[in-house]
Amino acid sequence: MRTQNLLKISWKAIVLNKMRTFLTMLGIIIGVASVIAMLAIGEGSKESIKTQISSMGSNMITIKPGSDVRGGVRLERSAMETLTLNDYEAIKKETTLLTSFSPMVNSGGQSIYGANNWPTSVYGVAPDYLKIKIWDLAEGSNFTEKEVSSAAKVAVIGQTVAENLFEEGVSLIGKMIRFNSIPLKIIGVLESKGESTGGQDQDDVILAPYTTVQKRILAITHLESIVVSSVSEEEAPNAVIEITALLRKNHKLTTNVEDDFHVISMEEMIKTFSSTSEMLTVLLVAIASISLLVGGIGIMNIMYVSVKERTREIGLRMAVGGQGSDILLQFLIEAMLISITGGLIGVSLGLGATLFIENVLHWPTSVTSSSIIISFVVCAITGIFFGWYPAKKASSLDPITALRYE
């Protein structure tokens, strides 16, 4: 038999049993739709994470005191005071792969204006901080190195703080607020940045000179962290090595002594978040793939039934010269048609589900061509794998016995 005739025979057999064929396809349809939707959510979340981290400053490197301890172990106070202004100055003067520098200290407390107050955090930073974080001003100006040197009581506030302390439409430049008991003059208002990858409101912040926060609010001399920006994203790993070597030398750490600081680049954060997202995506796809397995078993089951029902037809085909290979191919084509048709419907349903998730639930999604191609390949393999045994059984029937079958 020619392949064209086999296709016609297989399609006719499917059309004659529409409801049964649809119910057989259902597992494939749900499986493919689920896989596409889950992969779209996974890819969308990875892209969203990368975008959000990049918006924080893709070249940003953070240096924190204490060794890189994981698992929530509480460090001694002395271990958290290992970064100093001398370290900051050394990094600023002696590194070659960095462009912007800022020490950082912070404190939580109440911001107050008139009868309004709002719990927030004040961050003591250098003027370069806005460059490192790629953060623009909506109004006013940033503080200067001169104001840092004099520990001036000036501040740049975020949109959340502005909205909670002041009425809309009022110019904030020159207004005096208090952070706890310290008066601060507003000289700038930051553009809105939204939530970070951890769900923290980045606009709920007050920025002030680090000297002001150190001397007037915290009464400390050490730094809680140092943030810097590498010359390029590609040079970030080399910049981390350069910083590590410089700080080890400054802290007089011998070879067998571990670092009393840790350096984190945005590249590491992206890898960490992306690997977590990939693990969740694999888990979701594995769960969704169970539907494909159930659908494949359904195809095998229905093909067994079909072979039983058409035993006499098979015998007749063999009696008039049909080869076992023709019978095998006919039932394989039938199984593949069921599987691939189910896959086509599943892809359409999966794309529809993705649009619903993005537009109604407002979750980030990203459909890739590879997920659709993989779905089709899986559908074809499912049809062949689960259709092979029933087809082989049909092709090995004895013509005489098949013709006598009731």
Side-chain angles (χ1 to χ4, degrees):
M1 291 185 188
R2 290 182 300 158
T3 305
Q4 188 177 357
N5 287 339
L6 290 175
L7 277 167
K8 286 180 181 178
I9 294 166
S10 299
W11 184 251
K12 188 177 179 182
I14 289 170
V15 170
L16 286 172
N17 298 282
K18 294 185 185 71
M19 182 54 70
R20 187 173 75 179
T21 303
F22 175 73
L23 291 173
T24 305
M25 288 178 184
L26 207 54
I28 298 293
I29 292 169
I30 294 170
V32 170
S34 300
V35 167
I36 287 176
M38 292 304 103
L39 284 172
I41 291 170
E43 285 297 318
S45 66
K46 277 198 293 185
E47 287 180 13
S48 176
I49 287 166
K50 287 178 182 177
T51 302
Q52 285 186 35
I53 291 177
S54 294
S55 72
M56 294 165 63
S58 58
N59 300 348
M60 189 171 81
I61 298 170
T62 305
I63 306 140
K64 293 190 175 183
S67 58
D68 191 6
V69 179
R70 309 289 180 180
V73 178
R74 189 178 179 86
L75 296 173
E76 293 180 11
R77 183 178 178 84
S78 60
M80 298 306 293
E81 298 179 1
T82 55
L83 288 181
T84 65
L85 281 170
N86 288 335
D87 293 323
Y88 165 65
E89 292 297 337
I91 289 170
K92 199 172 180 180
K93 292 175 183 176
E94 298 179 37
T95 53
T96 59
L97 298 174
L98 303 175
T99 57
S100 302
F101 314 81
S102 174
M104 188 187 292
V105 287
N106 74 284
S107 175
Q110 289 288 124
S111 56
I112 303 162
Y113 178 76
N116 298 329
N117 64 84
W118 179 252
T120 188
S121 297
V122 64
Y123 283 81
V125 294
D128 271 0
Y129 184 73
L130 295 186
K131 291 181 188 176
I132 296 167
K133 295 281 284 185
I134 316 175
W135 213 339
D136 294 323
L137 289 164
E139 184 182 2
S141 60
N142 194 12
F143 47 83
T144 63
E145 288 292 349
K146 185 178 178 181
E147 288 165 319
V148 171
S149 301
S150 62
K153 297 175 186 177
V154 294
V156 176
I157 66 172
Q159 290 289 338
T160 300
V161 177
E163 289 166 9
N164 284 280
L165 291 184
F166 300 94
E167 292 180 6
E168 191 176 349
V170 176
S171 177
L172 309 185
I173 306 306
K175 301 283 187 187
M176 293 296 295
I177 62 170
R178 280 185 295 126
F179 183 81
N180 295 339
S181 60
I182 306 300
L184 295 169
K185 180 182 177 182
I186 298 173
I187 60 170
V189 181
L190 296 162
E191 288 277 8
S192 179
K193 231 180 194 317
E195 288 189 352
S196 66
T197 49
Q200 183 182 3
D201 184 3
Q202 296 182 85
D203 300 318
D204 189 6
V205 67
I206 297 172
L207 302 182
Y210 65 88
T211 49
T212 305
V213 178
Q214 273 186 316
K215 295 174 183 177
R216 303 184 189 278
I217 297 175
L218 294 173
I220 59 173
T221 56
H222 65 273
L223 301 177
E224 292 177 337
S225 63
I226 300 170
V227 288
V228 296
S229 183
S230 62
V231 292
S232 68
E233 203 169 331
E234 293 73 28
E235 288 291 354
N238 293 328
V240 169
I241 294 168
E242 186 179 41
I243 293 165
T244 303
L246 175 61
L247 288 180
R248 284 189 65 85
K249 184 183 79 172
N250 276 15
H251 293 189
K252 297 180 171 58
L253 300 176
T254 55
T255 310
N256 59 343
V257 177
E258 67 175 11
D259 298 340
D260 58 359
F261 59 89
H262 56 283
V263 187
I264 307 163
S265 68
M266 281 297 163
E267 184 184 18
E268 289 176 27
M269 288 182 67
I270 290 171
K271 283 180 181 177
T272 301
F273 280 110
S274 294
S275 63
T276 304
S277 177
E278 282 173 8
M279 284 175 65
L280 289 172
T281 303
V282 169
L283 179 62
L284 291 171
V285 170
I287 293 168
S289 298
I290 293 171
S291 296
L292 283 174
L293 178 63
V294 172
I297 293 169
I299 289 173
M300 181 181 280
N301 181 52
I302 209 66
M303 294 309 295
Y304 263 120
V305 173
S306 185
V307 168
K308 282 287 183 184
E309 287 179 347
R310 294 154 65 187
T311 300
R312 292 190 71 184
E313 178 194 328
I314 293 166
L316 184 60
R317 290 186 188 283
M318 286 184 166
V320 296
Q323 301 295 315
S325 58
D326 295 327
I327 304 298
L328 175 69
L329 190 57
Q330 177 190 332
F331 281 92
L332 265 182
I333 289 171
E334 196 171 317
M336 285 181 66
L337 281 173
I338 292 171
S339 183
I340 292 172
T341 305
L344 282 168
I345 298 170
V347 167
S348 302
L349 190 63
L351 293 174
T354 301
L355 287 173
F356 175 83
I357 289 165
E358 187 169 1
N359 296 322
V360 179
L361 300 180
H362 304 294
W363 293 0
T365 60
S366 177
V367 179
T368 59
S369 57
S370 61
S371 65
I372 296 173
I373 293 167
I374 289 168
S375 297
F376 276 120
V377 171
V378 168
C379 285
I381 292 170
T382 300
I384 294 169
F385 182 79
F386 288 99
W388 173 265
Y389 190 73
K392 184 66 178 174
K393 188 175 180 182
S395 68
S396 60
L397 286 174
D398 179 64
I400 296 172
T401 306
L403 283 168
R404 289 176 180 172
Y405 182 81
E406 294 295 335

